[in-house]
Coordinates of all heavy atoms in Angstrom, one line a residue:
Chain J
T2 N 106.7 112.9 131.6 CA 107.1 113.9 130.5 C 108.5 113.5 130.0 O 109.4 113.2 130.7 CB 107.2 115.3 131.1 OG1 106.1 115.5 131.9 CG2 107.1 116.3 129.9
E3 N 108.5 113.2 128.6 CA 109.8 112.9 128.0 C 110.5 114.1 127.5 O 109.9 115.1 127.3 CB 109.5 111.9 126.9 CG 108.5 112.3 125.9 CD 107.9 111.2 125.1 OE1 108.5 110.2 125.0 OE2 106.8 111.5 124.5
P5 N 112.6 116.2 124.6 CA 112.5 116.3 123.2 C 113.3 115.2 122.5 O 112.9 114.6 121.5 CB 113.1 117.7 122.8 CG 112.8 118.5 124.1 CD 112.9 117.6 125.2
L8 N 111.6 111.9 122.7 CA 110.4 111.9 121.9 C 110.9 111.7 120.4 O 110.3 110.9 119.8 CB 109.7 113.3 122.0 CG 108.6 113.5 121.0 CD1 107.5 112.5 121.1 CD2 107.9 114.9 121.2
M9 N 111.9 112.4 120.0 CA 112.4 112.2 118.6 C 112.9 110.8 118.4 O 112.7 110.2 117.3 CB 113.6 113.2 118.4 CG 114.1 113.2 117.0 SD 112.8 113.4 115.7 CE 112.0 114.9 116.1
T11 N 111.6 108.1 119.8 CA 110.5 107.3 119.5 C 109.9 107.5 118.1 O 109.6 106.6 117.4 CB 109.4 107.7 120.5 OG1 110.0 108.2 121.7 CG2 108.4 106.5 120.8
L12 N 109.9 108.9 117.8 CA 109.3 109.1 116.5 C 110.1 108.6 115.2 O 109.4 108.1 114.2 CB 109.2 110.7 116.3 CG 108.2 111.3 117.2 CD1 108.2 112.9 117.0 CD2 106.8 110.8 117.1
T13 N 111.4 108.5 115.3 CA 112.2 108.0 114.3 C 112.1 106.5 114.2 O 112.1 105.9 113.1 CB 113.6 108.4 114.5 OG1 113.7 109.7 115.0 CG2 114.4 108.4 113.2
E15 N 109.5 104.4 115.3 CA 108.3 103.8 115.0 C 107.8 104.1 113.5 O 108.2 105.1 113.0 CB 107.2 104.3 116.0 CG 106.6 105.7 115.6 CD 105.8 106.3 116.8 OE1 105.6 105.6 117.7 OE2 105.3 107.4 116.5
A17 N 104.3 104.8 111.5 CA 102.8 104.9 111.6 C 102.1 104.2 110.5 O 101.8 104.9 109.5 CB 102.5 106.3 111.7
H18 N 102.0 102.9 110.5 CA 101.3 102.2 109.4 C 100.2 101.4 110.0 O 100.3 100.8 111.0 CB 102.3 101.2 108.7 CG 103.3 102.0 107.9 ND1 103.0 102.9 107.1 CD2 104.6 101.8 107.8 CE1 104.1 103.3 106.5 NE2 105.2 102.7 107.0
L19 N 99.0 101.5 109.4 CA 97.9 100.8 109.8 C 98.2 99.3 109.5 O 98.7 98.9 108.5 CB 96.7 101.2 109.0 CG 96.0 102.5 109.5 CD1 94.8 102.8 108.6 CD2 95.5 102.4 110.9
T23 N 93.2 96.3 109.1 CA 92.4 97.5 109.2 C 92.3 98.1 107.8 O 91.3 98.6 107.3 CB 93.1 98.5 110.1 OG1 93.4 97.9 111.3 CG2 92.2 99.7 110.4
Q26 N 89.8 96.2 106.0 CA 88.5 96.6 106.5 C 88.0 97.9 105.9 O 86.9 98.0 105.5 CB 88.6 96.7 108.1 CG 87.3 96.7 108.8 CD 87.6 97.1 110.3 OE1 88.7 97.1 110.7 NE2 86.5 97.3 110.9
L27 N 88.9 98.9 105.9 CA 88.5 100.2 105.3 C 88.3 100.1 103.8 O 87.3 100.7 103.3 CB 89.7 101.2 105.5 CG 89.8 101.8 106.9 CD1 91.1 102.5 107.1 CD2 88.7 102.8 107.2
A30 N 85.0 98.3 103.2 CA 83.8 99.3 103.6 C 83.7 100.3 102.4 O 82.6 100.6 102.1 CB 84.1 99.9 104.9
V34 N 80.1 100.7 100.4 CA 79.4 102.0 100.4 C 79.1 102.5 99.0 O 78.0 103.0 98.7 CB 80.2 103.1 101.1 CG1 79.6 104.5 100.9 CG2 80.1 102.8 102.7
R123 N 87.5 114.5 102.5 CA 87.4 114.9 103.9 C 87.9 113.7 104.7 O 88.7 113.9 105.7 CB 86.0 115.1 104.2 CG 85.6 115.2 105.7 CD 84.1 115.5 105.9 NE 83.9 116.9 105.4 CZ 83.9 117.9 106.2 NH1 84.2 117.8 107.4 NH2 83.6 119.1 105.7
E124 N 87.6 112.5 104.3 CA 88.0 111.3 105.1 C 89.5 111.1 105.0 O 90.2 110.9 106.0 CB 87.4 110.1 104.4 CG 87.3 108.9 105.2 CD 86.5 107.9 104.4 OE1 85.5 108.1 103.8 OE2 87.0 106.7 104.4
T127 N 91.1 113.8 107.2 CA 91.0 113.5 108.6 C 92.1 112.5 109.0 O 92.8 112.7 110.0 CB 89.6 112.9 108.9 OG1 88.6 113.8 108.4 CG2 89.4 112.6 110.3
K129 N 94.8 112.0 107.6 CA 96.3 112.6 107.6 C 96.4 113.5 108.9 O 97.5 113.5 109.4 CB 96.5 113.5 106.3 CG 96.6 112.5 105.1 CD 97.0 113.3 103.9 CE 98.5 113.1 103.6 NZ 98.9 113.6 102.3
C130 N 95.3 114.1 109.3 CA 95.4 114.9 110.5 C 95.7 114.0 111.6 O 96.4 114.4 112.6 CB 94.1 115.7 110.8 SG 93.9 117.2 109.9
L131 N 95.1 112.9 111.7 CA 95.3 111.9 112.7 C 96.7 111.3 112.7 O 97.1 110.6 113.6 CB 94.3 110.8 112.7 CG 92.8 111.2 112.9 CD1 91.9 109.9 112.8 CD2 92.6 111.9 114.1
G132 N 97.5 111.6 111.6 CA 98.8 111.1 111.6 C 99.1 110.0 110.6 O 100.1 109.4 110.6
A133 N 98.1 109.8 109.6 CA 98.4 108.8 108.6 C 99.5 109.4 107.7 O 99.4 110.5 107.2 CB 97.2 108.4 107.8
E134 N 100.4 108.5 107.3 CA 101.6 108.9 106.4 C 101.0 108.7 105.0 O 100.1 107.9 104.7 CB 102.8 108.2 106.7 CG 103.4 108.6 108.0 CD 104.6 107.7 108.3 OE1 105.4 107.2 107.4 OE2 105.0 107.6 109.5
R216 N 97.1 117.8 100.7 CA 97.4 118.4 102.0 C 96.2 118.4 102.9 O 95.1 118.8 102.4 CB 98.0 119.8 101.8 CG 99.4 119.7 101.1 CD 99.9 121.1 100.8 NE 100.0 122.0 101.9 CZ 99.5 123.3 102.0 NH1 98.9 123.8 101.0 NH2 99.7 123.9 103.1
P217 N 96.4 118.0 104.2 CA 95.2 117.9 105.0 C 94.4 119.1 105.1 O 93.2 119.1 105.2 CB 95.8 117.5 106.3 CG 97.2 117.4 106.2 CD 97.6 117.5 104.8
V218 N 95.0 120.3 105.1 CA 94.3 121.6 105.2 C 93.3 121.7 104.1 O 92.2 122.1 104.4 CB 95.3 122.8 105.1 CG1 94.6 124.1 105.4 CG2 96.4 122.6 106.1
L221 N 90.3 119.6 104.7 CA 89.4 120.0 105.8 C 88.5 121.2 105.3 O 87.5 121.5 105.9 CB 90.2 120.3 107.0 CG 90.9 119.1 107.6 CD1 91.7 119.3 108.8 CD2 89.8 118.0 107.8
Chain F
E7 N 106.7 124.1 131.9 CA 106.9 123.5 130.5 C 106.1 124.2 129.4 O 104.8 124.2 129.4 CB 106.5 121.9 130.5 CG 107.0 121.2 129.4 CD 106.4 119.8 129.3 OE1 105.8 119.4 130.2 OE2 106.6 119.2 128.1
R38 N 101.8 123.4 129.5 CA 101.1 122.2 129.6 C 99.8 122.3 130.4 O 99.8 123.1 131.4 CB 102.1 121.1 130.4 CG 101.4 119.8 130.5 CD 102.5 118.8 130.8 NE 103.3 118.4 129.8 CZ 103.1 117.4 128.9 NH1 101.9 116.7 129.0 NH2 103.8 117.1 128.0
N57 N 96.1 126.0 112.2 CA 96.8 124.9 111.3 C 98.3 124.9 111.5 O 98.9 123.9 111.3 CB 96.4 125.2 109.9 CG 95.0 124.9 109.5 OD1 94.4 124.1 110.2 ND2 94.4 125.5 108.5
L62 N 100.0 121.6 110.1 CA 99.3 121.2 108.8 C 99.7 122.3 107.8 O 99.4 122.2 106.6 CB 97.8 121.3 109.0 CG 97.2 120.2 109.9 CD1 95.7 120.4 110.2 CD2 97.5 118.8 109.3
D63 N 100.3 123.4 108.2 CA 100.6 124.5 107.3 C 101.9 125.0 107.8 O 102.3 124.9 109.0 CB 99.6 125.6 107.3 CG 99.7 126.5 106.2 OD1 100.6 126.3 105.3 OD2 98.8 127.4 106.1
L73 N 106.7 120.8 121.7 CA 107.4 119.9 122.6 C 108.9 120.0 122.4 O 109.6 118.9 122.3 CB 106.9 118.5 122.4 CG 105.4 118.4 122.7 CD1 104.9 117.1 122.0 CD2 105.0 118.4 124.2
H75 N 110.4 120.8 119.5 CA 110.9 120.4 118.2 C 110.3 121.6 117.2 O 109.2 121.6 117.1 CB 110.3 119.1 117.7 CG 111.1 117.9 118.5 ND1 112.3 117.6 118.2 CD2 110.6 117.1 119.5 CE1 112.6 116.6 119.1 NE2 111.6 116.3 119.8
L80 N 111.6 119.5 110.6 CA 111.3 118.0 110.5 C 110.7 117.6 109.2 O 110.0 118.3 108.6 CB 110.4 117.7 111.7 CG 110.7 118.0 113.1 CD1 109.5 117.7 114.0 CD2 111.9 117.3 113.5
H83 N 107.1 113.1 107.2 CA 106.5 111.9 107.9 C 106.8 111.9 109.4 O 106.0 111.3 110.1 CB 107.1 110.6 107.2 CG 108.6 110.4 107.5 ND1 109.7 111.1 106.9 CD2 109.2 109.6 108.4 CE1 110.8 110.7 107.3 NE2 110.6 109.7 108.2
A86 N 104.0 113.9 110.7 CA 102.8 113.1 110.8 C 102.8 112.2 112.0 O 101.8 112.1 112.7 CB 102.7 112.2 109.5
R87 N 103.9 111.6 112.3 CA 104.0 110.8 113.5 C 103.9 111.6 114.8 O 103.2 111.1 115.7 CB 105.4 110.0 113.5 CG 105.5 109.0 112.5 CD 106.8 108.4 112.3 NE 106.9 107.6 111.2 CZ 108.1 107.0 110.8 NH1 109.1 107.1 111.6 NH2 108.2 106.4 109.8
L88 N 104.5 112.8 114.8 CA 104.4 113.6 115.9 C 102.9 114.0 116.2 O 102.4 114.0 117.3 CB 105.2 114.9 115.7 CG 105.3 116.0 116.8 CD1 106.0 115.4 118.0 CD2 105.9 117.2 116.4
R89 N 102.2 114.3 115.0 CA 100.7 114.6 115.2 C 100.0 113.4 115.8 O 99.1 113.5 116.6 CB 100.2 114.9 113.8 CG 99.7 116.3 113.6 CD 98.8 116.5 112.5 NE 99.1 115.9 111.2 CZ 99.9 116.3 110.3 NH1 100.5 117.5 110.5 NH2 100.1 115.6 109.2
C90 N 100.4 112.2 115.3 CA 99.6 111.0 115.7 C 99.9 110.7 117.2 O 98.9 110.4 117.8 CB 100.2 109.9 114.9 SG 99.2 108.4 115.1
R91 N 101.1 111.0 117.6 CA 101.4 110.5 119.0 C 101.1 111.6 120.0 O 100.7 111.4 121.1 CB 102.9 110.2 119.1 CG 103.4 109.8 120.4 CD 104.8 109.2 120.4 NE 104.8 107.9 119.8 CZ 104.6 106.7 120.6 NH1 104.4 106.9 121.9 NH2 104.7 105.6 120.1
K92 N 101.2 112.9 119.5 CA 101.1 114.0 120.6 C 100.0 115.0 120.4 O 99.8 115.9 121.3 CB 102.5 114.8 120.5 CG 103.6 114.0 121.1 CD 103.4 113.7 122.6 CE 104.5 112.7 123.1 NZ 104.1 112.3 124.4
Y95 N 93.0 115.8 117.5 CA 92.2 116.8 116.7 C 90.7 116.6 117.0 O 90.1 115.5 117.0 CB 92.5 116.5 115.2 CG 93.5 117.4 114.7 CD1 94.8 117.0 114.5 CD2 93.2 118.8 114.3 CE1 95.8 117.9 114.1 CE2 94.0 119.6 113.8 CZ 95.4 119.2 113.7 OH 96.4 120.0 113.2
F97 N 87.1 118.4 115.3 CA 86.7 119.2 114.2 C 85.3 119.8 114.5 O 84.5 119.2 115.1 CB 86.8 118.6 112.9 CG 88.1 117.9 112.6 CD1 88.4 116.6 113.1 CD2 89.2 118.6 111.9 CE1 89.6 115.9 112.8 CE2 90.3 117.9 111.7 CZ 90.5 116.7 112.1
S99 N 82.9 119.7 112.2 CA 81.9 118.8 111.7 C 82.3 117.4 112.0 O 82.1 116.4 111.3 CB 81.7 119.0 110.2 OG 83.0 119.2 109.6
N101 N 84.1 114.9 111.6 CA 85.0 114.2 110.7 C 85.4 112.7 111.2 O 86.5 112.4 111.3 CB 86.4 115.0 110.6 CG 86.1 116.2 109.7 OD1 85.1 116.8 109.7 ND2 87.2 116.6 109.0
I103 N 85.1 108.7 110.5 CA 85.2 108.0 109.3 C 83.8 107.3 109.2 O 83.5 106.4 110.0 CB 86.3 106.9 109.2 CG1 87.7 107.5 109.6 CG2 86.4 106.2 107.9 CD1 88.3 108.5 108.6
P104 N 83.0 107.6 108.1 CA 81.6 107.2 108.1 C 81.5 105.7 108.1 O 80.4 105.2 108.5 CB 81.1 107.8 106.8 CG 82.2 108.3 106.1 CD 83.3 108.5 107.0
V105 N 82.4 105.0 107.5 CA 82.3 103.5 107.3 C 82.7 102.7 108.6 O 82.5 101.5 108.6 CB 82.9 103.0 106.1 CG1 82.4 103.6 104.8 CG2 84.5 103.2 106.2
L106 N 83.2 103.3 109.5 CA 83.7 102.6 110.7 C 82.8 102.9 111.9 O 82.1 104.0 112.0 CB 85.1 103.1 111.1 CG 86.2 102.8 110.1 CD1 87.6 103.4 110.6 CD2 86.3 101.4 109.8
D110 N 85.8 101.6 116.3 CA 86.9 101.6 115.3 C 87.4 102.9 115.0 O 88.6 103.1 114.7 CB 86.4 100.9 114.0 CG 86.3 99.3 114.2 OD1 87.0 98.8 115.0 OD2 85.5 98.7 113.5
L117 N 95.9 102.5 116.2 CA 96.4 101.6 115.2 C 97.5 102.3 114.3 O 98.4 101.6 113.9 CB 95.2 101.2 114.3 CG 94.2 100.2 114.9 CD1 92.9 100.1 114.1 CD2 94.8 98.9 115.3
L118 N 97.3 103.5 114.0 CA 98.3 104.3 113.3 C 99.6 104.3 114.0 O 100.7 104.4 113.4 CB 97.8 105.7 113.0 CG 96.8 105.9 111.8 CD1 96.2 107.2 111.8 CD2 97.5 105.6 110.5
L119 N 99.6 104.2 115.3 CA 100.8 104.2 116.1 C 101.5 102.8 116.1 O 102.5 102.7 116.6 CB 100.5 104.6 117.6 CG 100.7 106.0 117.9 CD1 100.7 106.1 119.5 CD2 101.9 106.7 117.4
Q123 N 95.9 95.4 117.5 CA 94.4 95.6 117.4 C 93.7 95.5 118.7 O 92.9 96.3 119.0 CB 93.8 94.5 116.4 CG 92.4 94.8 116.0 CD 92.3 95.3 114.5 OE1 93.3 95.3 113.8 NE2 91.2 95.7 114.1
R162 N 88.4 110.0 120.5 CA 89.4 109.7 119.5 C 90.7 110.6 119.7 O 91.8 110.2 119.6 CB 88.9 110.0 118.0 CG 89.9 109.7 117.0 CD 89.3 109.8 115.6 NE 88.9 111.2 115.3 CZ 88.3 111.5 114.2 NH1 88.1 110.7 113.2 NH2 87.9 112.8 114.0

Side-chain angles (χ1 to χ4, degrees):
Chain J
T2 321
E3 52 199 341
L8 173 58
M9 186 46 60
T11 329
L12 293 178
T13 321
E15 79 191 0
H18 289 312
L19 280 178
T23 314
Q26 193 187 351
L27 281 169
V34 163
R123 170 179 293 268
E124 202 177 312
T127 307
K129 292 187 100 174
C130 276
L131 298 181
E134 289 175 29
R216 294 173 55 228
V218 186
L221 297 180
Chain F
E7 193 192 349
R38 183 168 283 273
N57 288 337
L62 297 177
D63 197 357
L73 303 158
H75 292 288
L80 302 176
H83 70 282
R87 290 173 193 177
L88 182 66
R89 244 199 320 273
C90 189
R91 184 171 281 276
K92 290 297 171 189
Y95 262 97
F97 307 90
S99 41
N101 287 33
I103 309 292
V105 297
L106 297 180
D110 287 331
L117 292 169
L118 278 168
L119 268 193
Q123 191 108 9
R162 179 176 69 180

